[in-house]
Amino acid sequence: MPTTDLGGTRLHYLDSGSGREVVLLLHAFPLNAGMWARQVAALSPRYRVVAPDYPGLGKSEPRAESSTMDALADDLLTLLGGIRVERAAVVGLSMGGYLAFELYRRLPGLFRALALCDTRPGADTPEGAAGREAFAKSALEKGLHWVADEMTPKLLRPHPDAAAVSTVRALIGQGTPAGVAAAQRGMARRPDSTPTLAAISCPTLVVVGAEDGLTPPAESRKMAAAVKGAKLVEVPGAGHLPNIESPEAYNQALLGFLDGLPQ
Ligand code: MLT
């Protein structure tokens, strides 16, 4: 995986495929670009696929600051400028969706299309933000094994496949406690993106796992209804990570959307 320098911190990203159109994949917390393995395989014959690891997650180096959506958007714009990407279909899953909202506010012209997957527009409540701070402290004290124990059952459907459990635990294990804490602290400070929904004017797809307990389908239906012309797909047999738990159905929804975009 190549890297780009962000003022002393090295950000790793994946850049594969040879198509003219770019798809930018923004990962969930506390995973990394590796969560997109099945999508990269399906998309790269037709598209150039770019997928970063956020600081301290995957192979990207941690840094001292919180991973606010503002800071991550700065990172991405530096990366995209460096690799000469001016337009992309942006796919954000959960935290990746929070980041996609921020990017949209900054640079709507970047967006050829948007896929919002298992995400929500709202900001945290004060209790939610306090819970993230407690999680950040525990992650720093107790380490990634604890993070995996806490997060894996929330990310997957009830009674998940053993293979999905081990994939998710392995992805979490590739990060750092500092990166997990920075992401939690950054998400706690994210703004309310609800007003952004009405401003989105690019083709938009909303995807949600039918058994997602973190961002339930009812919330995705509401979000899709607030974006002009958005299509909604509910993926059966999946929780919060339909790209991992039901990759065929997820890829079919994503490729059908991307392949149908106006040239
Ligand atoms: C994620 O999957 O990125 C997280 O569940 C997002 C969050 O904690 O709000």
Side-chain angles (χ1 to χ4, degrees), residues 29-30 54-63 139-140 143-144 147 171-183:
F29 168 85
Y54 313 145
L57 298 176
K59 294 195 182 71
S60 286
E61 290 173 358
R63 65 177 167 210
L140 292 168
L144 294 176
V147 174
L171 288 165
I172 293 172
Q174 290 159 7
T176 61
V180 170

Side-chain angles (χ1 to χ4, degrees), residues 85 93 169:
V85 171
L93 197 149
R169 292 191 68 96

